[in-house]
Amino acid sequence: MAFNDLLKQLGGVGRFQQIQVTLVILPLLLLSSHNTLQNFTAAIPTHHCRPPASANLSEDGELEAWLPRDKQGQPESCLRFASPQRGRPFPNGTEAKGTAATEPCTDGWIYSNSTFPSTIVTEWDLVCSHRALRQLAQSLYMVGVLLGAMVFGYLADRLGRRKVLILNHLQTAVSATCAAFAPTFPVYCAFRLLSGMATAGVALNSVTLSMEWMPIHTRAFVGTLNSYAYSLGQLLLAGLAYAVPHWRHLQLLLSVPFFAFFLYSWFFLESARWYSTSGRLDLTLSALQRVARINGKWDEGAKLNMEVLRSSLQKELAMGKGQASAMEMLRCPALRRLFLCLSMLWFATSFAYYGLVMDLQGFGLSIYLIQVIFAAVDLPAKLVCFLVINSLGRRPAQMASLLLAGICILANGVVPQDQSIVRTSLSVLGKGCLASSFTCIVLYTGELYPTMIRQTGLGMGSTMARVGSIVSPLVTMMAELYRPMPLFIFGAIPVVASAAAAFLPETLGLPLPDTVQDVENRRRGKPQRQQREHQKQMVPLQPSA
């Protein structure tokens, strides 16, 4: 394949690549914060029933007289006495279940504002019988991400990466900002769904636009750099949430910068690889010449002309005239195998990942501390992943990360509840392995699918990931039946899915496939021989007439 050789001759990783990749990755710092934002904006403070308006709370002990106690001796969150019980002791559990009549919190709740002065829970009373609505908001966001992955992945293969990315930045800015001013809970959920759609498009197109402008030997580095942006964004979220505890202010702070991202994304250069596989050779030439000028390769840019491009990219032009559709992934045997195996890997990674990270309050420690620990463990984990995928390959890295994550989560299911340090350590280790799995699967998917259907393939993979993130809260609810059950499920799925990586081809050091035929050749073991033959047929850049 000649495109990689053209990139090398025009500067490889030159000034253009450095500037564009940096600007493309920058929004990912805040994008990752939106995925887990509700850990803070929807946090549940300590709360108890508000006494009736007729109660005289100025008297000593009047508030306590309305509050029954739970088994731990703490005020019940969802019940109050029908009449004040003055002068009576509060033995553990006796008041809530004793002879004194209790009733629901008909006058609302009183929330502790020591940690969270304002969340969507305190503003719209999403507690007790309305507690499920809190999770509904996050689920709707993930539904938006699922829809965005399907819609914007398809559009990017038809309209180009740059146009769709510009639209995604604008939609994220508008919808996420509007969520900060939402007057009611249904309006908030609607804007969260729209912002979820947009963030999916930003994530997918950022990865592809970066990867398609980089030479082969740098793709693993760029993929890891993308992944590190998400981890640093999680660290940033912990700091911003601590400094700005009011949920509306935090939502606004993480949304307004996307207006700036929208403005400068107009200066991005469309993928020349996408131009070539779309048959638009004139735009391919224009883009490559512009890159040559930015990289300071004036002579090479002047030598590049339509004849050289036709000779160098003749296979891409001949075989890329027909646009592949999403159904092609099911009709073509090679693509079908990729689709099925990658779907399992995407689902398992996201399913287990969000099962761990969306329940930070369940650890019993400071939510800000847990957020920092969970984000910090990604840094060494992704470094190890980068070294493995560059030395041993993508397939062993994908298998190992999922297998180790599953083992850690399964082990956590048999550790006694009072061993909090051991349980937290296993969770952190498992989360680090899942972060490595995300790093690998994004890169691996982009390298396995051909250019003409790459965004659609990434979109379908992300769709399966969103299915996993939507299902994981339902599995968490099974803890009410048997406490370790969710951990056993969260651990078993990655272990089983890791076997799917064994059926995928290795892509270390191989050029990106541009056509379905390239994928077929790779499945039959022909890519290396074809690459050697193609090198012999390379047409060197000639001075233009």
Side-chain angles (χ1 to χ4, degrees), residues 214-226:
M214 300 298 289
I216 291 175
H217 67 281
T218 62
R219 289 204 307 259
F221 174 77
V222 173
T224 305
L225 194 63
N226 274 272

Side-chain angles (χ1 to χ4, degrees), residues 491-513:
I493 296 297
V495 170
V496 173
S498 64
F503 298 95
L504 296 173
E506 181 55 67
T507 60
L508 176 62
L510 297 179
L512 289 177

Side-chain angles (χ1 to χ4, degrees), residues 9 12 136 194 221 347 381 388 404 460 508 523 538:
Q9 294 178 42
L136 175 64
L194 290 175
F221 174 77
F347 175 86
V388 173
L404 289 175
M460 294 304 293
L508 176 62
R523 184 171 70 96
M538 270 295 295

Side-chain angles (χ1 to χ4, degrees), residues 93-243:
T94 58
E95 293 301 327
K97 301 178 181 179
T99 57
T102 59
E103 62 183 7
C105 304
T106 55
D107 292 287
W109 291 263
I110 296 176
Y111 298 93
S112 170
N113 60 3
S114 58
T115 304
F116 305 103
S118 176
T119 69
I120 65 171
V121 172
T122 63
E123 182 158 338
W124 292 307
D125 288 333
L126 306 181
V127 293
C128 298
S129 60
H130 297 139
R131 186 184 181 96
L133 294 178
R134 169 182 177 267
Q135 187 57 49
L136 175 64
Q138 179 66 19
S139 296
L140 286 175
Y141 174 82
M142 290 300 178
V143 169
V145 177
L146 184 151
L147 295 175
M150 292 189 294
V151 172
F152 294 123
Y154 173 82
L155 289 179
D157 277 334
R158 296 298 176 268
L159 305 178
R161 287 63 162 121
R162 174 181 171 273
K163 292 178 183 177
V164 177
L165 185 57
I166 292 173
L167 171 63
N168 295 149
H169 281 149
L170 178 61
Q171 183 177 333
T172 302
V174 173
S175 58
T177 300
C178 288
F181 295 99
T184 62
F185 180 67
V187 173
Y188 169 80
C189 289
F191 282 121
R192 282 287 286 171
L193 186 145
L194 290 175
S195 63
M197 289 184 64
T199 56
V202 173
L204 293 175
N205 287 289
S206 296
V207 171
T208 305
L209 190 58
S210 300
M211 185 185 302
E212 291 185 347
W213 272 116
M214 300 298 289
I216 291 175
H217 67 281
T218 62
R219 289 204 307 259
F221 174 77
V222 173
T224 305
L225 194 63
N226 274 272
S227 186
Y228 264 115
Y230 283 93
S231 299
L232 294 176
Q234 292 298 308
L235 284 172
L236 181 64
L237 175 61
L240 292 177
Y242 184 80

Side-chain angles (χ1 to χ4, degrees), residues 20-351:
Q20 174 145 315
V21 169
T22 300
L23 293 179
V24 167
I25 289 178
L26 188 60
L28 301 184
L29 289 172
L30 298 183
L31 193 72
S32 63
S33 300
H34 281 274
N35 291 338
T36 55
L37 181 60
Q38 280 200 196
N39 274 330
F40 301 96
T41 59
I44 305 177
T46 303
H47 56 280
H48 57 75
C49 290
R50 186 184 300 277
S54 59
N56 183 9
L57 300 183
S58 61
E59 297 182 12
D60 292 339
E62 180 69 15
L63 177 60
E64 287 76 9
W66 288 95
L67 302 178
R69 304 286 170 146
D70 59 18
K71 295 180 179 180
Q72 286 74 40
Q74 299 298 318
E76 284 280 358
S77 299
C78 301
L79 293 173
R80 73 181 186 189
F81 288 121
S83 60
Q85 306 295 307
R86 297 183 181 89
R88 298 181 61 180
F90 298 102
N92 290 353
T94 58
E95 293 301 327
K97 301 178 181 179
T99 57
T102 59
E103 62 183 7
C105 304
T106 55
D107 292 287
W109 291 263
I110 296 176
Y111 298 93
S112 170
N113 60 3
S114 58
T115 304
F116 305 103
S118 176
T119 69
I120 65 171
V121 172
T122 63
E123 182 158 338
W124 292 307
D125 288 333
L126 306 181
V127 293
C128 298
S129 60
H130 297 139
R131 186 184 181 96
L133 294 178
R134 169 182 177 267
Q135 187 57 49
L136 175 64
Q138 179 66 19
S139 296
L140 286 175
Y141 174 82
M142 290 300 178
V143 169
V145 177
L146 184 151
L147 295 175
M150 292 189 294
V151 172
F152 294 123
Y154 173 82
L155 289 179
D157 277 334
R158 296 298 176 268
L159 305 178
R161 287 63 162 121
R162 174 181 171 273
K163 292 178 183 177
V164 177
L165 185 57
I166 292 173
L167 171 63
N168 295 149
H169 281 149
L170 178 61
Q171 183 177 333
T172 302
V174 173
S175 58
T177 300
C178 288
F181 295 99
T184 62
F185 180 67
V187 173
Y188 169 80
C189 289
F191 282 121
R192 282 287 286 171
L193 186 145
L194 290 175
S195 63
M197 289 184 64
T199 56
V202 173
L204 293 175
N205 287 289
S206 296
V207 171
T208 305
L209 190 58
S210 300
M211 185 185 302
E212 291 185 347
W213 272 116
M214 300 298 289
I216 291 175
H217 67 281
T218 62
R219 289 204 307 259
F221 174 77
V222 173
T224 305
L225 194 63
N226 274 272
S227 186
Y228 264 115
Y230 283 93
S231 299
L232 294 176
Q234 292 298 308
L235 284 172
L236 181 64
L237 175 61
L240 292 177
Y242 184 80
V244 187
H246 194 290
W247 81 267
R248 290 187 184 273
H249 299 162
L250 180 60
Q251 177 80 34
L252 190 63
L253 183 63
L254 294 173
S255 306
V256 170
F258 278 90
F259 285 105
F261 302 148
F262 162 71
L263 292 177
Y264 77 59
S265 61
W266 285 90
F267 297 97
F268 290 159
L269 195 58
E270 180 59 272
S271 168
R273 186 184 291 272
W274 177 79
Y275 277 145
S276 66
T277 56
S278 300
R280 306 169 73 175
L281 202 59
D282 55 334
L283 296 178
T284 304
L285 177 62
S286 175
L288 290 173
Q289 287 178 334
R290 186 177 175 187
V291 169
R293 290 194 299 271
I294 297 174
N295 287 345
K297 299 291 184 178
W298 295 88
D299 294 338
E300 286 78 1
K303 296 174 183 178
L304 192 62
N305 54 44
M306 296 291 286
E307 181 183 352
V308 172
L309 275 186
R310 287 196 183 94
S311 301
S312 300
L313 304 178
Q314 54 184 334
K315 181 175 67 68
E316 286 86 344
L317 294 172
M319 302 182 65
K321 291 179 181 178
Q323 286 288 340
S325 65
M327 291 302 297
E328 192 73 20
M329 289 192 288
L330 298 179
R331 287 195 296 262
C332 174
L335 290 181
R336 185 167 60 243
R337 171 180 289 191
L338 294 183
F339 171 71
L340 294 176
C341 293
L342 290 172
S343 294
M344 292 181 62
L345 296 176
W346 277 96
F347 175 86
T349 301
S350 182
F351 174 73

Side-chain angles (χ1 to χ4, degrees), residues 446-525:
E447 292 182 336
L448 285 170
Y449 281 118
T451 301
M452 62 172 59
I453 203 172
R454 181 168 297 122
Q455 278 300 89
T456 302
L458 278 167
M460 294 304 293
S462 183
T463 297
M464 294 306 300
R466 291 323 113 200
V467 173
S469 63
I470 293 171
V471 172
S472 62
L474 303 178
V475 175
T476 303
M477 296 171 62
M478 298 179 68
E480 298 181 6
L481 302 176
Y482 181 55
R483 183 179 291 271
M485 180 65 72
L487 291 175
F488 290 147
I489 298 176
F490 288 137
I493 296 297
V495 170
V496 173
S498 64
F503 298 95
L504 296 173
E506 181 55 67
T507 60
L508 176 62
L510 297 179
L512 289 177
D514 287 315
T515 65
V516 176
Q517 187 61 45
D518 292 333
V519 178
E520 290 282 1
N521 292 338
R522 179 179 286 177
R523 184 171 70 96
R524 297 166 185 165

